[in-house]
Amino acid sequence: SVPFLIRLFPVLLTKFVYLNFLAFPFFVDFRQPELLVNNTINLYLTTEPGVTVGIWHTVPSSRGAEAKGKDQRWYEEALADDHPVIIYLHGNGGTR
């Protein structure tokens, strides 16, 4: 019956292949990354009208002591200094 259902509803195939309806780990608030990862804050970037992307900014552990207790402004200024920026693009599951 599964092949028949996939033939009738091809969108089911993409759901089962990519599993993008699952959010793992379960019951995690991704708006508070500092609970999961040290030296990290949550930011939002508007890419185009009506599209907002949530991002995490993590400073290297070598700047960890300097980052403790700092606000969003400090992290934004840290993006503008001479240190390299690594962008990690996660999967399509709606998680970070």
Side-chain angles (χ1 to χ4, degrees):
S1 66
V2 172
F4 179 72
L5 287 174
I6 290 174
R7 179 75 173 147
L8 285 177
F9 307 103
V11 74
L12 289 177
L13 181 60
T14 59
K15 293 290 184 189
F16 286 114
V17 168
Y18 297 111
L19 297 176
N20 58 358
F21 58 90
L22 292 178
F24 184 79
F26 304 110
F27 310 112
V28 173
D29 185 5
F30 290 104
R31 295 170 295 177
Q32 296 181 332
E34 62 275 3
L35 300 176
L36 301 169
V37 182
N38 292 331
N39 313 322
T40 304
I41 63 164
N42 187 42
L43 301 171
Y44 292 96
L45 177 66
T46 302
T47 58
E48 59 185 59
V51 178
T52 302
V53 178
I55 60 172
W56 286 359
H57 178 213
T58 304
V59 295
S61 59
S62 61
R63 297 185 72 185
E66 183 184 356
K68 287 212 183 295
K70 301 295 186 187
D71 60 355
Q72 179 176 336
R73 184 174 172 195
W74 183 88
Y75 280 86
E76 289 174 357
E77 289 173 358
L79 282 172
D81 63 13
D82 293 335
H83 292 87
V85 174
I86 298 171
I87 299 175
Y88 171 73
L89 304 173
H90 58 79
N92 61 355
T95 64
R96 295 188 205 164

